[in-house]
Structures are given as structure tokens and as C-alpha cells.
Amino acid sequence: MKRRLFLGLLGTAGAAGLVPSVGWGFPRLSLEPAPGLERLELSRDEWRERLTPEQFEILRDHGTEPPFSSPLDKEWGEGEYRCAGCDLLLFESATKYDSGTGWPSFFEHVEGHLLSQLDFSLVWPRREYHCARCGGHQGHVFSDGPEPTGLRWCNNGLALKFMPA
């Protein structure tokens, strides 16, 4: 195959992956903010005051904590998982499962409380998701989760806070 043809096909496949109706192996998500959910807009300095340096790196700069470093990976009590940036409810404990990845993982989220976009930071695209209220980076969603959704919402533990029931 000629290089020009190969690069053209590669570019077409990449551009098609940006079209919402084309799955290209990514979870098909229709994430809209919940009606009436007001955005929380803070300056970077205000976020630095509100968050620890590690939380700031994850929530504001799209960082990732090391696997198996979060106590929330081993939290199995009943309760709610909320955004560490703005306290928005993101996941219920009934939807948490052990994915073996070293990050808290869930098969379902609270409808309207997460937004997603494609992430190309590792060259190979992934589906990244954020808190719908504050825009804080939470993690990535994959199509290898358990039933009933088949999704794995793989979350940074430092981006969450657990509220026992």
C-alpha cells in the first residue's frame, strides 16, 4: 500500500472516530447534563485553594493516580461516591465492582452527572469523562465491564469522596 493511501485511510478513520454516531470500538455514550444542573466555574487559583495538589493534578490537569493507591478501590460500604471538586453525586455504591485494575470501578453512573470526550493523550484514543458540574476529570470509560451495562467507569480515587449511607 502506498504511504499516501495509508495515511489518508488512517486520517479518515481518526476523523470518523470524532463523529458521535460512529462507535469505532468506543463506548457509545449519550451524556447530557442533568436539567437545571448549574456549572461551577472557578479560577485555577481558586481550585488550588479548594483541592490538594494531588487532586488538582487529577481534576484540573487530567492526571492519573497510581493504580492500587486509593483506599476507595477497597471501599465496599454502602453509600455515595461524590466529586471531590464540587460534591456532585456521581456513583452509588450498588454499582461499584472490583475490576482488578487498581482504580475504583463502576458499571453505571448517575444520569446527567457526567460528560465525556475523546482523549488522545496516549496516542490511542480513549473515552474520558468529567463531572458535569465542575468539569473535573474523573477517569475513563471502557466497554469491558460487567452486565447489565457492559461498561467500566474507571475512576481516580482522589477525584472522589465517599459518603457512607
Side-chain angles (χ1 to χ4, degrees), residues 126-137:
R126 300 178 294 169
R127 177 70 64 186
E128 178 178 278
Y129 62 93
H130 304 259
C131 172
R133 179 186 288 153
C134 71
H137 167 74

Side-chain angles (χ1 to χ4, degrees), residues 18-30:
L18 298 175
V19 178
S21 63
V22 179
W24 292 91
F26 299 108
R28 290 179 187 244
L29 303 174
S30 177

Side-chain angles (χ1 to χ4, degrees), residues 2 16-18 24 35 60-61 75 87 110-111 123 138 163:
K2 293 190 177 202
L18 298 175
W24 292 91
R60 308 317 309 165
D61 287 338
E75 174 60 61
D87 200 41
V110 175
E111 191 73 29
V123 180
Q138 294 291 322
M163 304 300 291

